[in-house]
Amino acid sequence: MQDALKHNLFSYGTLQLNTVQLENYGRLLNGEKASLKQYKLDKLKITDAKVLKASGKEFHPIALKTNNVNDSIEGTIFKITKKELIETDKYEVSDYKRILETFSTGKKAWVYIAKADVSKTKKTK
């Protein structure tokens, strides 16, 4: 498995929960703390039954790009496989999109951010 861990994934929310990791990947993830500059967190109401069951949370954090140098999100960069990245795409509801960013550690990692201004939408699939 170690050889297959080729993708960095930054989590600032429910993907850091043991229950969500076990549900999605069948294992607990190892990671390192990092921060993402020029982003802030908002809340997104989740209505997808599978996601609600895995996280146990009705509201999930969602990252918004602000371009403000004073804004920052704290989280964890995990190493995952390509298959696990695809599973993460399935877990994240349609209000998120996955992009590659550079973090405080200097590493590049995938991160899920808001597709649109969630303060206006607040709904999911």
Side-chain angles (χ1 to χ4, degrees):
M1 167 87 82
Q2 196 65 23
D3 292 336
L5 299 177
K6 298 192 184 289
H7 294 276
N8 289 329
L9 174 68
F10 179 74
S11 173
Y12 52 82
T14 60
L15 288 171
Q16 295 180 90
L17 300 174
N18 289 348
T19 54
V20 173
Q21 291 177 13
L22 290 170
E23 180 75 24
N24 283 309
Y25 314 120
R27 69 182 184 98
L28 296 177
L29 303 178
N30 294 316
E32 68 177 283
K33 297 292 181 195
S35 60
L36 179 58
K37 305 289 184 203
Q38 298 184 20
Y39 281 84
K40 69 177 184 177
L41 293 180
D42 200 349
K43 289 184 180 176
L44 178 72
K45 183 173 181 169
I46 301 297
T47 58
D48 183 278
K50 184 178 178 193
V51 175
L52 283 167
K53 181 182 177 205
S55 73
K57 296 178 182 282
E58 182 181 8
F59 290 91
H60 287 198
I62 191 165
L64 302 172
K65 179 80 170 173
T66 65
N67 295 314
N68 182 333
V69 295
N70 296 316
D71 289 337
S72 179
I73 296 173
E74 300 300 317
T76 305
I77 295 178
F78 296 111
K79 287 236 178 251
I80 61 172
T81 66
K82 181 173 178 105
K83 182 181 177 194
E84 289 169 336
L85 188 60
I86 292 167
E87 289 304 313
T88 310
D89 286 341
K90 294 176 188 173
Y91 171 76
E92 297 295 356
V93 295
S94 62
D95 295 276
Y96 293 89
K97 66 180 177 181
R98 176 167 47 97
I99 66 166
L100 199 59
E101 282 283 11
T102 302
F103 292 81
S104 59
T105 60
K107 286 187 178 179
K108 288 191 179 286
W110 293 110
V111 59
Y112 292 87
I113 67 167
K115 272 188 183 174
D117 184 353
V118 294
S119 63
K120 294 177 183 167
T121 60
K122 294 283 187 193
K123 295 181 182 174
T124 66
K125 62 179 179 182

